[in-house]
Amino acid sequence: MDQIDRLMVVEVEIGSLSTTDSPRTSGVDPEHVEALAVVQTPLPPITVHRQTMRVIDGLHRLRAAELRGQRKIAVRFFDGGDADAFVLAVESNVTHGLPLTTADRKRAAGRIIASHPQWSDRMIASVSGIAPGTVADIRRRAPGGRTGEESRIGHDGRVRPINGAEGRRLAGELIAQNPGLSLRQVARVAAISPETVRDVRNRMMRGEDPVPQRGRQAAGGEVRVPPPRLGRGPSAVPDRDAAQDRAEAVKRLKADPALRFSEIGRTLLRLLNIHTISMEEWDQIIDTVPPHCRGAVAYLANESAEMWTEVALRVQSKVAETA
């Protein structure tokens, strides 16, 4: 939904702007406005819905400009419908600035479900900053929350069936036949999300059916469990001593002139060095993620994991080519 003219910033009369229909039901925070008003450097432009002149993102910056006695403010315009403008307002207030309250985020999710019923729970969760399960609960309670819809649009833009039992079954067969396939590769063939493929793989590691009992009942029958059991054991929990092994491997790579003396090589070393921290350090990092940032962090972590899996497979293929 990138319909913002990011290259053009214009000065707009503050009096011409509307502040109605904000997802922030409690209004502005006076202390935050005062803090912004004394900032010496220019604040980022606010985002305004061109058709209605309604402020989508930047209400506190607008009030700070008024407090400083400004008559005009820098604006970027958004071109799109009212429903999409509201989605952008929610997303903007979740990802930066003063976060929305949990109640506001849940209320916004309910409105987005009504305006964009074809979006998946995970996609609405990523926009509203709440868990996908919470979105599913809100959808179930909403009038007409399930009206015979058979598919939804996921975060990656792909249309997938709501009942993914068949996709899970196919993913289980693909993983059993070729455990080296990446989550994205399996997801493309099985027409399910990479995260669902991850769940299928984890269930198989534990020796469970790739389709949960609820999914089998919804599909109207039993689904065959692929026979092999994957992974190192039921837990599939990373070894805490593995951090030391990774650190040693990176140390050896840092000593290689082929990597040390090239810009791309140094970039690779910096990326690999991030993953040398221990599980205890990761636990500390995870515990300190603010509640309103957890959805975004989880999404980025999943995307990074997928990218590293793809990198590993491609590098391994080159090893095979030169063997």
Side-chain angles (χ1 to χ4, degrees):
M1 193 200 305
D2 198 356
Q3 296 168 280
I4 302 175
D5 190 342
R6 299 186 183 279
L7 299 178
M8 182 174 292
V9 177
V10 297
E11 292 281 321
V12 172
E13 291 280 349
I14 289 178
S16 68
L17 299 175
S18 168
T19 59
T20 61
D21 202 28
S22 170
R24 192 184 303 279
T25 57
S26 60
V28 298
D29 182 328
E31 291 185 1
H32 191 54
V33 171
E34 291 176 4
L36 292 176
V38 299
V39 173
Q40 299 299 311
T41 56
L43 297 173
I46 66 174
T47 305
V48 172
H49 188 216
R50 192 190 299 272
Q51 288 87 331
T52 62
M53 295 300 288
R54 180 169 60 83
V55 176
I56 293 175
D57 178 40
L59 182 57
H60 285 90
R61 279 167 276 161
L62 174 66
R63 297 305 184 213
E66 290 177 325
L67 190 61
R68 288 196 295 249
Q70 294 177 214
R71 293 181 52 218
K72 293 185 176 182
I73 191 169
V75 164
R76 284 194 176 98
F77 282 114
F78 170 79
D79 294 295
D82 288 341
D84 287 342
F86 181 79
V87 170
L88 179 60
V90 175
E91 187 175 28
S92 299
N93 282 282
V94 165
T95 56
H96 67 258
L98 194 65
L100 296 174
T101 65
T102 301
D104 281 344
R105 282 179 271 145
K106 289 181 177 180
R107 192 177 297 109
R111 180 167 166 178
I112 296 171
I113 289 169
S115 64
H116 297 74
Q118 73 279 17
W119 282 9
S120 70
D121 294 341
R122 192 172 297 279
M123 185 170 183
I124 294 175
S126 70
V127 170
S128 57
I130 57 179
T134 304
V135 175
D137 290 339
I138 295 172
R139 193 193 296 269
R140 279 193 294 270
R141 294 195 301 268
R146 295 188 182 277
T147 56
E149 52 187 332
E150 297 181 355
S151 62
R152 293 191 189 133
I153 301 172
H155 194 278
D156 57 2
R158 292 173 62 88
V159 178
R160 295 185 176 87
I162 295 176
N163 182 356
E166 180 60 25
R168 281 175 169 270
R169 182 195 64 78
L170 178 56
E173 291 182 353
L174 291 169
I175 293 171
Q177 293 166 6
N178 191 344
L181 289 174
S182 72
L183 300 185
R184 289 187 183 277
Q185 289 171 323
V186 176
R188 281 194 292 267
V189 176
I192 57 179
S193 70
E195 191 57 35
T196 301
V197 177
R198 185 192 306 279
D199 182 65
V200 168
R201 188 175 64 183
N202 289 341
R203 293 178 68 85
M204 293 172 66
M205 283 180 170
R206 298 191 297 267
E208 299 174 2
D209 194 316
V211 182
Q213 182 67 32
R214 182 177 56 186
R216 293 200 301 274
Q217 292 171 348
E222 293 296 319
V223 179
R224 180 173 58 85
V225 184
R229 207 183 145 109
L230 306 179
R232 294 172 293 170
S235 63
V237 175
D239 184 359
R240 291 180 178 264
D241 293 333
Q244 185 175 352
D245 294 337
R246 292 195 299 272
E248 288 296 325
V250 171
K251 184 178 179 181
R252 289 193 295 270
L253 289 174
K254 285 180 177 179
D256 192 319
L259 293 175
R260 287 172 55 199
F261 299 127
S262 73
E263 184 61 35
I264 294 178
R266 288 192 294 272
T267 298
L268 175 61
L269 291 173
R270 285 195 295 270
L271 291 171
L272 292 172
N273 193 61
I274 294 172
H275 302 286
T276 61
I277 66 175
S278 66
M279 282 302 299
E280 287 81 2
E281 291 173 293
W282 277 119
D283 288 341
Q284 293 175 3
I285 291 171
I286 293 167
D287 289 341
T288 56
V289 175
H292 64 277
C293 296
R294 288 170 186 166
V297 171
Y299 165 70
L300 292 171
N302 280 329
E303 289 295 304
S304 299
E306 292 299 320
M307 183 61 69
W308 277 115
T309 300
E310 195 72 27
V311 169
L313 287 171
R314 292 174 64 178
V315 173
Q316 285 171 355
S317 68
K318 290 184 178 296
V319 171
E321 290 173 4
T322 56

